[in-house]
Amino acid sequence: MPFFDSIAILKHRKVIAMTNNDWIAPSILSADFSRLGEEVQQVIDAGANLIHFDVMDNHYVPNLTIGPLVCEALSRRNFGVPLDVHLMTRPVDTLVPLFAKAGAAYISFHPEATDHIDRTIDLIRQCGAKPGLAFNPATPLSALEYTLNKLDIVLIMSVNPGFGGQSFIPEMLQKIRNVHSLIIQNNPSIRLEVDGGLKTDNIRSVKEAGADTFVAGSAVFHSKDYKQTIACMRESINSATRTSID
Ligand code: DX5
Ligand code: ZN
C-alpha cells in the first residue's frame, strides 16, 4: 500500500502505550536567561527528561535567540540530560556541525528550510547527533515519505514557530494521530514530539493522539513550582486512556 494511502485508512484501533517512555522537555525559551544554568538544573531536578533548545534566526522566523556558544556552555555543565536542539533557521547545514560539536543530542530542522532534506539528515547523523524533522502547523507530512526511517524524531509544531506562550492549535491533534500511525507502521522507535501551547490541561489529549515527547516552555518556566507542574503533566500523561480509536 502506498505510504500516504495508509494515512487515509486509519481506522484501526491504536494502543497508547503506558510506559516510562514519555519524555517531558522544558523549552528554555521561557527560562530566565540571566540564570540559565540554574534554571536548567531546576527543571532537571523537577523531572525533565530532555532540554528543548530553540534556535531562531530572525529570518526563517521573526525572532532571534541563542546559538552554539550557549549550547556548548550548557553541555559543559554535564547535566546528564540530553539537549534537544530545534533549528528554526534557514539555511540549516552550516549550523549542524556547530551544534553537534556543542553537544546537541538531537537536532531537528524544518524541511522547507533546507534545499536537500535527505542530505541534511545525513549530515546530522554524520556529525554524531540524532536527526529530526519539524513540521509547522500547515506543512504537510510529505517530506516523511522517503525519510521516516532515517529519523530519530518527528516534531509536530502545535503553534506557529517563533514565540513561546501561544495557544495550542487543536487541528494538530489529527496530525499527531497521523504521524503516530506512520511511526507505528514503519519504525516504532522513532519519537513523536509535540511543541507549542502544551499545558497541564491539554497534555493528556496530546498523549492520547500518540505523542511521547512533550515540549513545554511557558507552562513550566512561568509556573511557580517546576516540580509540581512537571508532576502534574506526568500525571495527566499517565491518565491518558489506554486505547483510542482514530
Ligand atoms: C516555538 C518554540 C517552542 C516554544 C514553546 O517556536 O519552538 O519550543 O518554546 O513554548 P510554549 O510551551 O510556551 O508554547
Ligand atoms: Zn521548539
Side-chain angles (χ1 to χ4, degrees):
M1 174 196 321
F3 189 74
F4 282 92
D5 285 0
S6 62
I7 289 184
I9 54 157
L10 297 176
K11 291 297 172 200
H12 65 284
R13 282 163 66 84
K14 180 175 64 181
V15 175
I16 302 295
M18 294 285 107
T19 64
N20 292 330
N21 198 31
D22 295 311
W23 289 357
I24 295 177
S27 163
I28 57 173
L29 186 63
S30 292
D32 176 351
F33 278 96
S34 70
R35 305 164 37 248
L36 188 56
E38 202 182 311
E39 290 271 76
V40 169
Q41 187 64 63
Q42 280 181 17
V43 289
I44 291 171
D45 293 344
N49 307 100
L50 193 66
I51 297 299
H52 188 77
F53 190 108
D54 286 309
V55 183
M56 303 183 185
D57 66 350
N58 187 36
H59 174 68
Y60 178 67
V61 289
N63 201 352
L64 185 63
T65 60
I66 43 181
L69 283 178
V70 176
C71 186
E72 194 191 345
L74 291 180
S75 295
R76 258 191 273 116
R77 295 275 299 258
N78 281 321
F79 288 112
V81 165
L83 291 175
D84 174 39
V85 170
H86 176 193
L87 294 179
M88 286 159 278
T89 67
R90 184 192 284 131
V92 178
D93 290 2
T94 45
L95 289 173
V96 165
L98 301 179
F99 275 103
K101 194 159 176 256
Y106 293 88
I107 300 179
S108 296
F109 66 98
H110 289 252
E112 61 273 40
T114 187
D115 287 332
H116 305 286
I117 298 167
D118 183 76
R119 179 178 288 157
T120 301
I121 293 170
D122 287 346
L123 176 65
I124 294 170
R125 183 82 67 197
Q126 280 157 19
C127 289
K130 295 177 175 170
L133 268 185
F135 293 86
N136 290 332
T139 305
L141 297 171
S142 48
L144 288 178
E145 187 166 1
Y146 299 105
T147 62
L148 184 63
N149 286 319
K150 301 179 89 172
L151 299 173
D152 279 279
I153 200 157
V154 177
L155 188 164
I156 297 299
M157 294 294 304
S158 39
V159 298
N160 287 294
F163 303 95
Q166 303 178 78
S167 297
F168 184 87
I169 299 171
E171 286 77 9
M172 293 306 102
L173 287 174
Q174 187 55 48
K175 194 173 188 182
I176 297 163
R177 286 184 203 111
N178 292 348
V179 178
H180 177 72
S181 293
L182 290 175
I183 287 176
I184 292 301
Q185 287 163 42
N186 287 273
N187 180 358
S189 67
I190 299 167
R191 300 202 72 88
L192 173 43
E193 179 172 34
V194 177
D195 182 7
L198 298 195
K199 312 277 175 213
T200 52
D201 62 2
N202 63 11
I203 203 162
R204 176 181 163 156
S205 57
V206 174
K207 167 68 188 175
E208 287 176 345
D212 56 32
T213 305
F214 305 84
V215 177
S218 51
V220 171
F221 284 105
H222 294 173
S223 72
K224 284 208 174 68
D225 185 334
Y226 300 166
K227 198 167 203 155
Q228 195 179 44
T229 304
I230 290 176
C232 183
M233 287 180 162
R234 203 169 292 286
E235 204 176 303
S236 301
I237 290 167
N238 290 341
S239 74
T241 48
R242 275 184 170 273
T243 306
S244 72
I245 300 175
D246 281 328

